[in-house]
Structure formats: structure tokens, C-alpha cells
Amino acid sequence: MAGEMRNPVPDGLLPHFESLIALGIVVGAVAIAWLLNHRAPKSRAFGTFLAAVACFAIVILFALVPQTGVLENPKPHRVPMDVAKPTLLWIQVGVALLAGLTLLGVAFKQSKSQEELVLSSANEEARYGRTSRILHWTTAILFISLIPTGIFGSMIPDDAWYKTKFFVIHETIGFIIFGLFIFRQIWNRKSKRPKLESSLKPIERKMAHNAHITLYLLMFALPITGYLMTSMHGSSSYFFFVKLETFLPESEAYQIPGLFHKFLLQYLLYIILGAHVLGALKHHFVDKHKEAFKRMVS
């Protein structure tokens, strides 16, 4: 939830600095997605390197969490599952560190390649086109960034001066993800998605299809439930520096969308996203289905 700021912002900070941070994250995500699918191999290697840097930025950011005092004095727990938030946060930091190190290795390998990536803007019969790939990776980077920041945000005490500032970033990215979701649905109708790799087993094809549908539903449901939870709690939402007043009456019923946003959908996301990533890695490294991996990855 994005409670109203109670404590003053320290002197010396730029006005709307949180909006500048949100803009930087969005621009960075688009730049990485564009570079990852660039024609030139050196550009793709640089995109992978930037993706590794983004992972390390998450590690560094949350390595500073103990200095905020949030771990020692978090927002009071409302449900028993709140106790698990610090553990979940550190697990995700560990995953980010491992991902960053892996991406550095991939970037080094890519830097040795001379193979150009020839893609059309539209989707092809056996693989996604450049537009779909940029949409996919921009959304993925932003979506994944919301997971640890959402957990940390829910731990920030209401009287912390940076609480509202922090949620300006979180909510702005959430609105952008929702917009990307809508645009992606429109694009999928304009440019038909390629069929699943024929080498996949029937059960694998069904699981992959269900995972894609569930991820789409999560990209829709998480921003919606987050907005409803915030609005019904009586707090404004933010899109960069624009304050969006709630149109819903304040009600204790905010706990219903809150249950979905903070717990049910969140843990479902962990399961589906993890299965999606592990499934893609299995097809590439274990089953040796090289073409299945290359449908979206250059």
C-alpha cells in the first residue's frame, strides 16, 4: 500500500527524484531488451552485460537494507506469513547474484561470436520477431524488479519519510507493466504467435501453454489488485509525479484484494515463473531442443 508521506523529505534531495528513478528503470529495461535482440553480436553481448549489472544493482540495493532499520523495526505483522518476508527477500537477492554472475559468463561468450541476428519486426512461423521479443524482455525485467521491491515496500513502517517515495517507483512500474500487457495482447492479434516447438512432448506443450496463460493473467491481476488494495485503503496511487486520487470509498474490504496481491498471486508467481525459467533451461540443456530456446532468446 502507498500510505501518505508523514515525515518530511530530507533537505537536499531533488524534487520528484523518485520519478527520475522510475524513469531510469523503465528506460534501462527497454534499452536492455532492445540490445538483447540487436542484429550485431557485440551489441547483444553489451545488452547481456547490462542485464548482469541490473542484477548486481538489486544485490547492492538490498545489501543496504539493514542500514534502513526496516529489518529491526518493520511494519507490524498483520498475518503470520509476514514473518517470512525477510527470508524471501534474501533468497531473491541470492538468485539475483547468481543470475548476474551467469549473465556475465554469457556476455563474455557472446562477445566472441560473429553471428548476426536477422529478425523481422513481426513474428515468424517458428520464432518471435523483434517487436515481440522487446516487449517480452522489457515486461520481464520490469515485472521481476517488482518482486523484491514489493516485499521490501510492504515492510517499510508507515512513518518512514521514504515510504510514499518508494511506492511512487513501485506503482509507476506497475502501471507501465499493465500498459505493456494491453499492448502485447493487441500485438499478438496483429502478429500471430509462433507455434510451440514440435519436439516438445504433449505434456510439455500443455504445461508451457498453461504457464504462458497464467503469466498473462498475473500481469493483469497483480496491477489491478494492487490498485484496488491501495484505493480501498484510502491512499492515492502514483504514475511518476502524477497523483491519482482514488475513486473508491475507503473500506476494510481492502484486505480482500490485499490477500490476492500480497500472498495468493505472489506465491503463484514464484511457482509459475520458476517453472517457466526451469522449463526453458531444461529444453535447452537437458533435452537439447536448441530451437525451442531460440524462439525468444537470441
Side-chain angles (χ1 to χ4, degrees):
M1 292 173 295
E4 301 299 331
M5 185 175 62
R6 297 179 181 179
N7 285 354
V9 178
D11 293 335
L13 290 179
L14 293 172
H16 303 302
F17 73 92
E18 70 283 357
S19 294
L20 295 176
I21 293 174
L23 180 62
I25 293 172
V26 173
V27 171
V30 174
I32 291 172
W34 177 70
L35 287 168
L36 287 176
N37 296 282
H38 197 277
R39 184 185 185 98
K42 299 297 183 183
S43 296
R44 298 198 301 275
F46 183 59
T48 305
F49 172 76
L50 289 181
V53 171
C55 291
F56 293 139
I58 292 176
V59 174
I60 293 173
L61 175 64
F62 288 103
L64 300 175
V65 164
Q67 298 183 26
T68 67
V70 170
L71 294 181
E72 294 77 16
N73 185 32
K75 184 176 181 178
H77 297 158
R78 297 190 175 183
V79 295
M81 295 174 69
D82 284 343
V83 179
K85 287 180 179 178
T87 301
L88 286 173
L89 189 62
W90 294 126
I91 289 174
Q92 290 167 19
V93 169
V95 171
L97 177 60
L98 179 61
L101 293 173
T102 302
L103 288 171
L104 278 183
V106 174
F108 178 77
K109 183 177 180 180
Q110 283 180 312
S111 67
K112 304 298 182 182
S113 173
Q114 299 298 322
E115 182 181 357
E116 292 191 342
L117 178 65
V118 180
L119 285 174
S120 62
S121 296
N123 295 331
E124 303 171 17
E125 183 177 353
R127 62 178 181 172
Y128 289 92
R130 182 168 279 108
T131 301
S132 289
R133 291 183 180 214
I134 293 176
L135 282 171
H136 172 86
W137 289 110
T138 299
T139 304
I141 293 168
L142 294 177
F143 202 45
I144 291 173
S145 73
L146 288 185
I147 298 175
T149 56
I151 292 177
F152 177 68
S154 66
M155 297 168 60
I156 301 175
D158 289 333
D159 59 354
W161 69 265
Y162 55 86
K163 185 176 180 70
T164 296
K165 300 294 184 182
F166 187 89
F167 273 97
V168 169
I169 302 171
H170 186 78
E171 292 171 358
T172 296
I173 295 175
F175 280 121
I176 290 176
I177 288 174
F178 186 76
L180 289 172
F181 165 78
I182 298 298
F183 183 78
R184 192 168 179 179
Q185 302 314 302
I186 297 172
W187 176 250
N188 285 343
R189 290 182 176 274
K190 180 179 176 62
S191 183
K192 189 176 181 180
R193 295 175 58 189
K195 297 179 180 179
L196 290 173
E197 173 62 32
S198 58
S199 62
L200 297 179
K201 300 175 183 177
I203 184 65
E204 291 175 331
R205 295 168 67 86
K206 185 175 181 180
M207 291 175 65
H209 176 74
N210 291 339
H212 287 153
I213 296 298
T214 305
L215 284 173
Y216 276 133
L217 291 175
L218 287 169
M219 282 187 283
F220 172 81
L222 278 166
I224 292 294
T225 54
Y227 178 72
L228 290 175
M229 174 185 65
T230 300
S231 298
M232 296 172 71
H233 191 258
S235 301
S236 303
S237 295
Y238 294 85
F239 183 68
F240 291 107
F241 58 83
V242 179
K243 185 176 181 179
L244 306 175
E245 298 294 348
T246 177
F247 64 91
L248 296 172
E250 186 172 351
S251 170
E252 287 297 319
Y254 79 89
Q255 297 179 47
I256 297 175
L259 175 65
F260 281 90
H261 185 77
K262 289 187 173 184
F263 300 105
L264 300 181
L265 296 179
Q266 184 181 128
Y267 285 95
L268 178 61
L269 174 61
Y270 296 156
I271 296 171
I272 298 300
L273 185 60
H276 180 63
V277 173
L278 291 175
L281 294 175
K282 174 182 178 294
H283 296 325
H284 186 75
F285 293 106
V286 178
D287 301 330
K288 305 300 181 181
H289 296 163
K290 302 298 183 181
E291 296 306 313
F293 201 67
K294 290 181 179 180
R295 283 159 46 85
M296 186 62 83
V297 180
S298 59

